[in-house]
């Protein structure tokens, strides 16, 4: 693998290594009551961008004249909890997945006040984003695996998918998020690969080239959902920040946390390495938010919440 671009080495043969692809459906059909496109009196919904591009995170605010019970967002195939920041003010994050089709998509908010259900609905327009495409011809020894290796890859993918499907509370993240390394110069998000004429999954994370041993830190408060060894990712850490928000750190030289451990924003969780399928020292860093695999570099400019 020496000489190949880092992102190819990291996720050359499977998209679920970076993140399992979420199901993409009609958001409007998944709203609390798809027949109602009205705004309940006293409830409003605002977003940081009404025309997000593919792979973009969107900050959401919900305002209520009086406090709500069980405030939630409805986006794509799921409902996602909101975090109350002050009486009647709630925040959340959604993601436009890297493969979300361009066009209109509906976002809804819902909450209960006693026995009354309040809802607010807004429409986003997803914009196409052009990603680079790289075509490569590789020998079979680099593009195919034996049965035992394929079994391991699939088992690790299923395990990761199960972890990323969990929606936990309390919601621990707060924005702004903190870049995972001091010198954050991301590359390769969304790069499409055609290997031996076969289109592969997009690179749903970024690569950050850094010297081996560079400290890696958690981007927000959270709980370690995974800390272990993977075929593609090498020594890997996944942090659950609550409410469907996850951060992923691969190819670590080593990690200093264990599963179930609570970590704080800025806490060191490991160090840059070249473990797993990597051609050299770098951090493969990904972010998953409710509804999508997003470009981590777009997460950090989101407004403070």
């Amino acid at each position: 693998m020496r000489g190949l671009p880092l992102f190819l080495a990291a996720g050359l043969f499977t998209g679920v290594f970076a993140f399992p692809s979420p199901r993409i459906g009609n958001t409007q059909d998944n709203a609390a009551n798809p027949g109602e496109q009205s705004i309940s009196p006293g409830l409003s919904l605002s977003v940081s961008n009404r025309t997000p591009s593919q792979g973009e995170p969107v900050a959401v605010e919900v305002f209520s004249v009086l406090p709500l019970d069980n405030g939630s967002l409805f986006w794509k195939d799921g409902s996602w909890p909101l975090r109350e920041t002050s009486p009647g003010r709630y925040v959340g994050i959604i993601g436009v997945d890297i493969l979300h089709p361009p066009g209109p998509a509906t976002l809804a908010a819902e909450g209960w006040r006693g026995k009354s259900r309040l809802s607010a609905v807004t429409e986003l327009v997803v914009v196409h984003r052009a990603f680079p495409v790289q075509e490569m011809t590789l020998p079979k020894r680099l593009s195919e695996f034996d049965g035992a290796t394929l079994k391991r890859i699939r088992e690790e993918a299923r395990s990761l998918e199960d972890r990323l499907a969990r929606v936990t509370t309390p919601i621990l993240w707060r924005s702004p998020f903190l870049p995972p390394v001091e010198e954050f110069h991301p590359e390769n998000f969304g790069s499409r690969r055609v290997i031996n004429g076969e289109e592969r999954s997009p690179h749903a994370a970024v690569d950050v080239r850094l010297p081996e041993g560079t400290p890696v830190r958690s981007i927000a408060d959270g709980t370690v959902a995974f800390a272990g060894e993977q075929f593609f990712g090498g020594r890997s850490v996944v942090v659950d920040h609550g409410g469907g928000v996850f951060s992923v750190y691969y190819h670590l030289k080593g990690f200093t946390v264990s599963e179930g451990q609570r970590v704080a924003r800025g806490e060191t969780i490991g160090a840059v390495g070249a473990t797993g399928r990597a051609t050299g020292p770098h951090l493969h860093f990904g972010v998953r938010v409710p509804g999508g695999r997003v470009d981590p570099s777009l997460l950090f400019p989101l407004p403070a919440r």
Side-chain angles (χ1 to χ4, degrees):
M1 301 291 282
R2 191 177 303 278
L4 290 178
L6 294 177
F7 80 95
L8 285 171
L12 186 56
F13 307 107
T14 175
V16 285
F17 157 70
F19 282 113
S21 302
R23 293 176 296 164
I24 298 176
N26 185 327
T27 308
Q28 182 170 333
D29 292 341
N30 297 307
N33 189 335
E36 295 182 8
Q37 296 295 307
S38 61
I39 298 177
S40 301
L43 190 70
S44 62
L45 170 65
S46 68
V47 294
S48 59
N49 188 359
R50 292 188 179 278
T51 57
S53 62
Q54 293 167 315
E56 182 173 345
V58 177
V60 183
E61 284 190 284
V62 176
F63 299 93
S64 177
V65 174
L66 296 174
L68 299 172
D69 298 322
N70 302 320
S72 300
L73 292 174
F74 292 83
W75 172 243
K76 292 176 61 174
D77 287 336
S79 64
W80 314 92
L82 289 162
R83 174 169 58 84
E84 185 174 20
T85 59
S86 61
R89 180 176 181 265
Y90 306 85
V91 299
I93 293 177
I94 61 169
V96 177
D97 186 72
I98 190 174
L99 293 179
H100 195 295
T106 302
L107 170 67
E110 179 188 277
W112 290 83
R113 189 178 299 149
K115 296 182 179 181
S116 299
R117 182 179 67 83
L118 307 180
S119 63
V121 179
T122 191
E123 186 172 90
L124 307 182
V125 178
V126 176
V127 177
H128 170 74
R129 177 177 172 183
F131 296 104
V133 177
Q134 183 171 15
E135 297 190 24
M136 300 188 67
T137 301
L138 297 176
K140 287 186 176 181
R141 64 183 178 83
L142 295 180
S143 60
E144 298 180 5
F145 299 105
D146 59 35
T149 301
L150 283 173
K151 180 181 179 182
R152 177 184 174 184
I153 291 169
R154 289 166 181 158
E155 288 175 349
E156 290 176 352
R158 283 193 294 269
S159 177
L160 178 62
E161 186 171 7
D162 288 343
R163 295 169 196 270
L164 294 174
R166 299 169 187 168
V167 181
T168 60
T169 55
I171 297 174
L172 300 174
W173 64 264
R174 302 290 187 273
S175 57
F177 292 87
L178 185 71
V181 289
E182 288 285 350
E183 298 293 328
F184 184 68
H185 303 294
E187 304 174 5
N188 301 324
F189 181 80
S191 297
R192 312 295 173 109
R193 295 151 292 179
V194 180
I195 300 173
N196 298 342
E198 181 181 346
E199 185 174 352
R200 303 302 174 98
S201 299
H203 188 250
V206 298
D207 294 322
V208 187
R209 300 171 185 261
L210 290 164
E212 186 169 318
T214 301
V216 175
R217 60 199 182 188
S218 178
I219 64 171
D221 291 359
T223 303
V224 178
F226 176 77
E229 189 91 20
Q230 298 189 100
F231 178 79
F232 282 119
R235 297 186 184 109
S236 309
V237 172
V238 177
V239 179
D240 178 1
H241 303 287
V245 177
F246 294 86
S247 57
V248 173
Y249 315 79
Y250 288 163
H251 305 308
L252 301 175
K253 180 179 180 181
F255 47 81
T256 57
V257 293
S258 56
E259 292 185 19
Q261 179 179 335
R262 182 69 64 90
V263 294
R265 179 182 184 270
E267 181 176 341
T268 298
I269 58 176
V272 170
T275 57
R277 301 287 282 194
T279 61
H282 73 287
L283 173 66
H284 173 105
F285 170 61
V287 169
R288 176 78 169 264
V289 299
R293 303 160 294 176
V294 298
D295 185 343
S297 65
L298 301 180
L299 185 72
F300 305 116
L302 290 179
R305 293 287 188 266

